[in-house]
Amino acid sequence: PRARAEKPKVSAFTSARIDKIVALQPDLVLGFSELQADIAASLIRAGVPVAVFNQRSVAQIFDMLAQLAALVGAVDRGHALLLQMRERLTQMQQAVQAQLDQGRRRPRVYFEEWDDPLISGIRWVAELVRIAGGDDIFPERAAESLAKARILEDPGEVIRRAPDIILGSWCGKKFRPQKVAARPGWSAIPAVRDGELHEIKSPIILQPG
């Protein structure tokens, strides 16, 4: 609450107050993806050092974090942190494999990044779902880096792929399970029938690293 009250509000994801950023006299501005290219260009023209990353996979997230550690002069601390993070993922994979060896199947997972239009999850999300023991039902779309390529023109495709779990992370707004469950025909989806609709806050999962 204190940060929300006191932290200067200078930028949204695709728009920014360049004058306010410059006034802060930053040593470095970090950006993510081609969606922030215009912001980055404006800051560069204003003489501000800018580093923009475009990580889309779990491996690329680790690469970005290593580069960031070097940029801020924290190579050793960054290396130690990355080792811890890799170990956590390894432990999770081992735990999942132990369950699979005992006959447990991977649940089918639909990850929804936006609700109007429906947009399925990006690559790092699908990879994290896999690491955690599930299977993304739209792996072919997860490979697409741009959101427009992951728009589901036919919501019935989710019904046909029958996910066991639905994860919602609507960027910038609260996920509404009841709204999802009320979609025409979606009552037949196992996840809806069994009440397996869950939110992951967008700052946790949609900001890669």
Side-chain angles (χ1 to χ4, degrees), residues 74-133:
V75 173
D76 291 341
R77 289 174 57 198
H79 181 66
L81 178 60
L82 290 172
L83 285 177
Q84 291 177 14
M85 294 171 69
R86 290 183 189 279
E87 178 60 25
R88 285 185 64 191
L89 292 185
T90 298
Q91 290 173 355
M92 189 176 300
Q93 289 172 309
Q94 291 172 343
V96 166
Q97 189 57 53
Q99 293 180 344
L100 295 175
D101 291 343
Q102 294 173 5
R104 180 176 178 179
R105 71 174 183 87
R106 289 181 176 272
R108 297 169 55 78
V109 179
Y110 169 53
F111 184 96
E112 188 170 282
E113 186 177 306
W114 194 245
D115 66 323
D116 187 21
L118 302 188
I119 300 178
S120 60
I122 199 167
R123 180 177 172 184
W124 72 78
V125 170
E127 290 179 352
L128 290 173
V129 166
R130 181 74 180 178
I131 290 170

Side-chain angles (χ1 to χ4, degrees), residues 25-42:
Q25 298 182 317
D27 297 307
L28 178 65
V29 171
L30 303 174
F32 165 65
S33 89
E34 73 287 343
L35 295 177
Q36 296 193 322
D38 291 341
I39 296 174
S42 296

